[in-house]
Amino acid sequence: MQDSSPKLALVTGASRGIGKAIARALGEAGFIVAGTATTSDGAEGISAWLAERRIEGAGFRVDVGSNESVAELMENLQSSLGAPAVLVNNAGITRDNLLLRMKEEEWSEVINTNLNSIFRMTRACLKPMTRARWGRIINISSVVGSSGNPGQSNYCASKAGVEGFTRSLAREIGSRGITVNAVAPGFIETDMTGSLPEVQARELLQKIPLQRLGRAEEVAAVVRFLALDGGAYITGETVHVNGGMYLA
């Protein structure tokens, strides 16, 4: 980073899983952390565990699918913690279904939350980054954005869109000292994968050369690298963290 003063990192979807691991990694790297959740209870929970770990920052409630909610978040940040220098677009949902059975709202909800939200959040953070001539935008994609996955045409389309957005914006704002990258996790240890039947879990592992699921902390480590000076000359890239299951 250009100076020793702490910079603010905004992480959407920080109440659990990969988002929580990212918020912790950036906090331990010296950033002030603003983590978002979809509920007030979730935001309070983020504030509590940040305080437990002596990480400066707070949780905020936001609906990334709403322009009004994003605008309110930015106002709250500006009056409390300041303008984000790092934005991690992690919030996302799934609404899995075969395309023949997929309802229009299942398509629209996923595109709005996973892709349109990145447009909203990034646009809201760009002006202060441009003024500072320093910024890091890191978009959390998915291996299926490159490989595809049956029953997830909406989710895969949203993540492929995230990666196209990343490449275009990197070209657009690189001259302003702002890098834009995507991180694409593969199968990561979660409560859902932990409850898979043994046969299904074995089949899943056979697709992964490293023969194990990834950990949220391993995804967070890549985000941390891209946010710090070590990643300063990397932009427009999608970094795959998938144990070799998809070799880009």
Side-chain angles (χ1 to χ4, degrees):
M1 291 186 282
Q2 287 178 330
D3 56 56
S4 58
S5 59
K7 288 179 168 63
L8 175 62
L10 172 58
V11 183
T12 65
S15 60
R16 60 190 175 89
I18 290 173
K20 189 173 185 177
I22 291 169
R24 181 172 183 173
L26 293 179
E28 291 174 350
F31 289 96
I32 301 167
V33 176
T36 77
T38 57
T39 66
S40 297
D41 286 347
E44 290 171 9
I46 292 170
S47 294
W49 66 255
L50 285 174
E52 285 172 9
R53 287 162 180 78
R54 298 183 179 179
I55 295 172
E56 185 179 355
F60 295 84
R61 180 187 173 279
V62 70
D63 174 6
V64 294
S66 161
N67 287 317
E68 293 75 16
S69 184
V70 169
E72 183 181 351
L73 168 67
M74 299 311 294
E75 287 177 12
N76 291 338
L77 282 176
Q78 196 61 54
S79 63
S80 57
L81 298 177
V86 175
L87 169 64
V88 182
N89 286 306
N90 170 70
I93 61 170
T94 57
R95 296 287 185 271
D96 297 351
N97 212 340
L98 297 174
L99 189 63
L100 281 171
R101 299 175 185 168
M102 187 175 289
K103 298 174 183 174
E104 189 164 338
E105 55 265 30
E106 291 174 328
W107 176 273
S108 299
E109 284 175 13
V110 169
I111 297 297
N112 189 41
T113 301
N114 296 7
L115 181 57
N116 295 349
S117 66
I118 289 185
F119 159 74
R120 292 186 193 98
M121 294 298 304
T122 303
R123 185 176 61 171
C125 293
L126 266 185
K127 281 187 180 178
M129 289 183 183
T130 301
R131 282 195 297 268
R133 299 194 69 80
W134 196 98
R136 301 283 189 265
I137 297 166
I138 302 164
N139 302 316
I140 305 304
S141 181
S142 169
V143 62
V144 300
S146 297
S147 67
N149 202 33
Q152 287 194 311
S153 59
N154 50 2
Y155 185 76
C156 296
S158 72
K159 294 304 186 180
V162 165
E163 294 176 18
F165 174 91
T166 297
R167 289 188 290 271
S168 289
L169 189 62
R171 290 182 178 273
E172 189 174 314
I173 61 175
S175 64
R176 293 165 173 83
I178 304 167
T179 65
V180 190
N181 291 289
V183 175
F187 287 105
I188 304 300
E189 289 177 355
T190 63
D191 294 339
M192 186 168 63
T193 55
S195 63
L196 284 174
E198 188 178 340
V199 174
Q200 211 171 337
R202 214 166 35 237
E203 288 175 357
L204 179 60
L205 292 178
Q206 285 174 358
K207 300 176 183 177
I208 305 171
L210 288 185
Q211 293 287 290
R212 67 173 178 85
L213 300 180
R215 297 188 296 273
E217 292 76 15
E218 291 171 320
V219 179
V222 176
V223 173
R224 171 178 167 153
F225 170 74
L226 292 171
L228 292 171
D229 283 346
Y233 201 55
I234 300 171
T235 195
E237 293 294 331
T238 296
V239 182
H240 286 270
V241 187
N242 60 39
M245 69 170 290
Y246 176 83
L247 303 175

